[in-house]
Amino acid sequence: MFLHDSTHQRAFTSERAVVEQPSVRWSSETDGAVWSSPVVADGMLYVGCYDGNLYAMSSETGTLQWRYQTGDRIDGSPAVANGMVYFGSFDRNIYALDAKTGEERWIYGTRGIVRSSPTVKNGVVYIGAHCRTEECNAYYDVKWPETGYLYAFDAETGSLLWQHETNDGVISSPAVLDGTVYVGSSDATLYALDAATGDILWRFDADGPIMSSPVLDDGRVLFGTVSGVLYSVRAKSGDLQWSFDLNRSRGGGVELSPVITCSPVVSDETVYVGSMVPGDEIIGKLYAVSSANGTPRWAESRFAQAIGSSPVVVNDVVCFGAHIFGPSANVESGLYAVDSDGSIQWSITYDGTEHNGFGSSPAVVGTTLYIGSTESHVLAFDLA
C-alpha cells in the first residue's frame, strides 16, 4: 500500500542493494502523467494515472497485464490485500478490483474527489475523501463540499462500517496501528480515531492544513503542514513532543512559508522531509532533523522546485523524486539519492524544458526502485 505499510514507515536494509548509480531495468508508457505512487505485490505493480486508468504491470518486466478505466484522473496510490486492489479517483468513487484480473468487485460513491490513498488493516479499508484546493475546485461542476470524510469499509463487501466527518477535505492517507487510525485534514487537525467505531480518541490542532500522511514510529506520529511545520506528537495522547518550523532556516523577511505535502521518513534517529520553498526562485529542499527533539541537522536545496515525493531510506541512503511546475530552462528535475550527511550519492536529472520530473513516491522491493513519472511512464531502476 502507499508508503509501504499501515504505519507508513519506509526505512529498509538490503544486503544486496549497493545503492550506487542505478540503471533502468524497464520503462513502461502510460497515457497520462503518473503522480500516483506504485505498489508492488505478488509479482505485479499497480499504479494510478492522470488518464483515469489503474494500471497493473509485471513488476519484473513492466508488461501491461490489465488496466481499469475510471471516470477521471487518479492521484492517490492503490492498496493491495487479500487478492484485491483498492483505490480512489477524482470521479468521486472508491473502487475494489480483483488484483489478478482487474474485475470490479465493488464501488462506493462519495460526494467529493478522492485523492487520499487507502490503508487496509484487519479486513477494513480506511480512506479519506473530498478536496477543497483550487486545483480540485476546477473538477467540481457545483460548489465544492464544505466537509471531508474518513471512511471505513468492509474490505470484502464494500459495506460502509463508519464515517467520520471533518471540517475540510481529507487528502492525507490514514495510518493504522493498535486499533487506532491517524489521519490529517485540511481543517488543520490531526485525528486519532477508534479503528472499530470511528470515535475520536484525541485531536491535535496544527498550524495549517495537513496534506502530509502521518508516519508512526516508536510511539509517535510525525507529519507536516502546508504552512511548513513538521510535528511529532505522542501516539497515545496526541501531546506535542516537538515541532520544527522550516522558516527557521530562512532568516527574517519571509512572506511565504515553505510547503510540506509529502510524508516524512525516520531512520537512525533522523527524520527526513521534503518541501517546496517559495520565493523569487522556487526550490525543492530536503531537511534532516533529530527524531528525539526536532533539532535541525542539515538542509539541502538542490532539488528542482518541489519535493512532493515521500522519501524512502535504503541502507541509510534517502531516495526521492523532485519536480518542477512547468517547462523551465533554468532548473532540472530528477530522481535523487542523498547520504545521511546530506551529500548527494547519485542523481538522475532531466532538462527542465523536456521533463517535469517525479511527484510519485518511490517504492523499493529488494534491489529495485519503482516510481511514476510526470512524463507518462512508470520506471524500474536497479540499485545493485
Side-chain angles (χ1 to χ4, degrees):
M1 62 190 70
F2 179 56
L3 305 183
H4 181 61
D5 62 17
S6 65
T7 68
H8 294 169
Q9 185 52 273
R10 310 171 310 286
F12 307 98
T13 299
S14 173
E15 294 181 359
R16 295 186 300 131
V18 180
V19 198
E20 294 179 346
Q21 185 73 28
S23 59
V24 177
R25 175 185 293 181
W26 55 257
S27 176
S28 294
E29 189 172 4
T30 60
D31 291 334
V34 180
W35 290 77
S36 169
S37 301
V39 171
V40 178
D42 300 323
M44 298 274 280
L45 177 147
Y46 304 90
V47 70
C49 182
Y50 267 32
D51 65 10
N53 281 289
L54 183 81
Y55 286 80
M57 305 172 177
S58 165
S59 61
E60 183 64 28
T61 65
T63 303
L64 179 67
Q65 304 299 303
W66 55 259
R67 64 182 184 178
Y68 178 91
Q69 179 74 56
T70 72
D72 215 317
R73 83 187 210 196
I74 302 171
D75 257 15
S77 299
V80 181
N82 302 318
M84 296 171 69
V85 55
Y86 307 90
F87 63 99
S89 169
F90 264 54
D91 69 4
R92 313 181 197 185
N93 291 316
I94 297 164
Y95 295 86
L97 309 178
D98 184 286
K100 288 185 178 180
T101 66
E103 181 182 355
E104 184 181 298
R105 292 287 190 89
W106 55 261
I107 300 176
Y108 183 89
T110 75
R111 294 189 301 109
I113 285 169
V114 183
R115 295 182 73 180
S116 173
S117 301
T119 296
V120 184
K121 187 75 171 179
N122 298 329
V124 179
V125 180
Y126 302 94
I127 187 170
H130 303 196
C131 169
R132 295 208 301 160
T133 66
E134 290 297 331
E135 178 186 10
C136 290
N137 190 37
Y139 284 80
Y140 287 109
D141 53 6
V142 294
K143 180 177 172 59
W144 52 23
E146 295 183 356
T147 57
Y149 288 93
L150 180 70
Y151 295 102
F153 301 99
D154 181 287
E156 182 66 27
T157 66
S159 298
L160 180 65
L161 302 176
W162 54 259
Q163 62 184 27
H164 177 79
E165 182 176 320
T166 68
N167 293 320
D168 209 326
V170 179
I171 300 173
S172 171
S173 301
V176 185
L177 183 66
D178 296 335
T180 303
V181 183
Y182 304 88
V183 71
S185 171
S186 294
D187 66 8
T189 304
L190 180 76
Y191 294 90
L193 307 175
D194 186 293
T197 65
D199 293 337
I200 294 180
L201 301 177
W202 54 257
R203 53 182 290 166
F204 178 85
D205 295 327
D207 74 305
I210 303 169
M211 296 174 65
S212 170
S213 298
V215 172
L216 307 178
D217 176 77
D218 195 23
R220 58 196 164 207
V221 188
L222 298 116
F223 64 97
T225 70
V226 300
S227 301
V229 179
L230 178 66
Y231 288 96
S232 175
V233 302
R234 298 187 187 280
K236 290 293 185 183
S237 64
D239 294 335
L240 177 67
Q241 288 187 306
W242 53 260
S243 64
F244 173 65
D245 188 341
L246 273 55
N247 282 301
R248 287 187 206 170
S249 62
R250 301 185 67 195
V254 176
E255 295 183 0
L256 296 172
S257 297
V259 175
I260 302 173
T261 58
C262 70
S263 294
V265 64
V266 186
S267 178
D268 195 23
E269 300 182 348
T270 300
V271 184
Y272 302 95
V273 70
S275 74
M276 182 273 287
V277 182
D280 293 337
E281 180 185 6
I282 303 172
I283 58 173
K285 197 165 188 175
L286 184 71
Y287 297 81
V289 305
S290 165
S291 63
N293 54 29
T295 302
R297 291 184 169 163
W298 50 260
E300 293 295 334
S301 53
R302 304 174 238 178
F303 311 112
Q305 292 180 327
I307 302 174
S309 171
S310 297
V312 300
V313 179
V314 184
N315 294 351
D316 298 323
V317 175
V318 188
C319 302
F320 58 94
H323 67 275
I324 60 178
F325 295 104
S328 173
N330 301 317
V331 63
E332 294 179 325
S333 62
L335 179 65
Y336 301 90
V338 175
D339 282 323
S340 57
D341 62 1
S343 59
I344 295 178
Q345 185 170 95
W346 55 258
S347 63
I348 299 172
T349 57
Y350 299 89
D351 187 322
T353 62
E354 300 176 353
H355 200 294
N356 285 350
F358 301 93
S360 170
S361 301
V364 175
V365 179
T367 60
T368 306
L369 182 151
Y370 303 91
I371 195 167
S373 162
T374 61
E375 302 306 308
S376 305
H377 282 81
V378 180
L379 300 103
F381 293 92
D382 280 321
L383 298 180

